[in-house]
Amino acid sequence: SQTIHQWPATLVQPVGSPLSLECTVEGTSNPNLYWYRQAAGRGLQLLFYSVGIGQISSEVPQNLSASRPQDRQFILSSKKLLLSDSGFYLCAWRPMQLDSYTFGSGTRLTVV
Amino acid sequence: DQQVKQNSPSLSVQEGRISILNCDYTNSMFDYFLWYKKYPAEGPTFLISISSIKDKNEDGRFTVFLNKSAKHLSLHIVPSQPGDSAVYFCAASENNYGQNFVFGPGTRLSVLP
């Protein structure tokens, strides 16, 4: 069966520090992978998506970047965090032949 | 400009009654829609979907209705249970392959015992 792992679950980081959030998918190959952010009082905002290794599309300009070094690994990074980067970050995957996303359990990031 | 709108940030319903969550969209090219449910500190879980070739899809206590001419869909939960208390997101895409979903801001449903 397919599963998605996302870690860490919570993270408190100082302003200006780097960030690395990791997401891996098991039990499938060549999934579409996504990073979403849920900010307080707002919906789910698509940050990045990837249709394959090394292929990253950015939906909104921001302080973050994403990488896909392996087929089932998707990483969200920042060189220097801002206070406004605080939020709940969700990784999701979508196999091409199915019609919905499966989300990870999320990472609560607080930038202080 | 928000393409997917959920104009009610919150909704309270008595246990056993019907919950109706609404969603409106502006992009007439959207033809595939999802509803997700999210508990605090967890990822959203898929509930039910509907494509534009249908106007209704039912799965147990959950029914989604689509009115394409009005660009409106709704999720009905009957009967509502306390465990249904969560944030509900509506999402839309132009097709169900390859296109990314656009999510609404969510509606927080509280089912009161």
Side-chain angles (χ1 to χ4, degrees), chain B residues 6-18:
Chain B
Q6 293 175 259
N7 292 322
S8 298
S10 62
L11 174 68
S12 292
V13 171
Q14 209 68 34
E15 181 179 4
R17 297 292 190 94
I18 183 171

Side-chain angles (χ1 to χ4, degrees), chain A residues 32 34 36 38 42-44 46 49 59 88 90 94 96-105, chain B residues 32 34 36 38 41-44 46 49 89 93 95-101 103-106:
Chain A
N32 287 354
Y34 303 83
Y36 278 86
Q38 182 188 14
R42 302 183 65 181
L44 300 177
L46 178 62
Y49 69 95
E59 288 292 299
F88 192 60
L90 291 155
R94 179 189 193 187
M96 284 302 293
Q97 66 271 30
L98 291 181
D99 57 9
S100 64
Y101 292 165
T102 298
F103 283 90
S105 53
Chain B
Y32 190 70
L34 309 176
Y36 277 84
K38 184 183 179 300
E42 294 184 11
F46 171 73
S49 64
F89 291 101
S93 77
N95 57 57
N96 59 332
Y97 291 108
Q99 292 294 328
N100 301 324
F101 285 96
F103 283 81

